[in-house]
Amino acid sequence: MKKEFVVGITGASGVVYARRLLEVLCDRATVHIVISDTARQIAGIEDIYLEGFDAVYAENSNLAADIASGSFCYDGMAIVPCSMKTLAAVSNGFADNLIARAADVCLKEKRPLLLLLREMPLSRIHLKNMLAADEAGATVMVASPPFYQRPQTIDDLVDMVVARVLDHMGVEHDLGTRWSGYDA
């Protein structure tokens, strides 16, 4: 049976992570995509296109969408990138848009929720919200690629981060090389 996921894309730099995740995930699962207005603006600034995927698109203002209900079954959700505003909404149960509501549903239904944060430095408020999201059941990830694989391009760095997201979603992939130890 094909897996089904929700991908929320919010207003933080790093929309390239969402693009790459969708390129891989839409070939392997049914995907529901929700893009915030600010994410659309940033995608334009970063010259990243989020249209044209074989997926179900929903408007962030549509709180009546199927994914807003706990009775609609799906395997989990990733918010990539996750803005600090969205982190604050998720960690405090403030579901005023579809992305925050679908995340709230994931938490209450005990489904996997991954938050890929793209911000630095982090304030005390950000850290508290990260801890609250973790305590509520979300997996908090920071877009921080490893360098032990000696990346040659930005795409290599993006793939390393997206590979970790896919790992936590339980989706098989062939992005990057896995660490196999170091012989000094």
Side-chain angles (χ1 to χ4, degrees):
M1 190 164 158
K2 199 171 188 181
K3 288 189 174 191
E4 192 162 358
F5 296 101
V6 175
V7 174
I9 305 169
T10 65
S13 182
V15 178
V16 66
Y17 293 114
R19 172 80 192 179
R20 185 63 173 132
L21 177 63
L22 293 172
E23 288 172 354
V24 176
L25 196 57
C26 288
D27 286 341
R28 293 167 171 79
T30 300
V31 179
H32 299 261
I33 302 171
V34 187
I35 306 168
S36 75
D37 290 340
T38 306
R40 288 181 199 282
Q41 291 174 341
I42 292 174
I45 292 167
E46 295 181 355
D47 202 25
I48 303 292
Y49 299 94
L50 299 169
E51 295 78 27
F53 289 101
D54 183 16
V56 179
Y57 286 83
E59 288 300 318
N60 198 28
S61 60
N62 184 6
L63 288 170
D66 51 7
I67 60 174
S69 173
S71 68
F72 184 80
C73 293
Y74 51 92
D75 296 289
M77 178 177 185
I79 303 177
V80 177
C82 182
S83 68
M84 292 300 123
K85 176 183 176 184
T86 300
L87 170 65
V90 170
S91 66
N92 288 283
F94 186 65
D96 69 332
N97 61 50
L98 185 55
I99 293 172
R101 172 61 187 163
D104 193 51
V105 166
C106 280
L107 294 175
K108 78 180 189 71
E109 298 294 332
K110 307 291 190 221
R111 296 179 188 147
L113 172 63
L114 293 108
L115 308 175
L116 183 68
L117 306 175
R118 219 296 316 138
E119 182 74 56
M120 70 172 203
L122 298 168
S123 74
R124 185 175 293 252
I125 293 169
H126 299 151
L127 295 169
K128 286 180 178 181
N129 286 337
M130 290 166 67
L131 181 58
D134 177 82
E135 288 172 344
T139 299
V140 178
M141 305 178 87
V142 178
S144 178
F147 289 88
Y148 58 81
Q149 296 174 336
R150 297 190 177 115
Q152 301 297 306
T153 66
I154 290 174
D155 289 342
D156 292 341
L157 295 169
V158 169
D159 278 356
M160 290 178 206
V161 171
V162 171
R164 296 297 291 145
V165 172
L166 291 165
D167 286 347
H168 282 265
M169 294 175 84
V171 175
E172 290 186 27
H173 62 84
D174 58 0
L175 300 182
T177 306
R178 296 195 182 275
W179 178 251
S180 60
Y182 174 73
D183 294 323

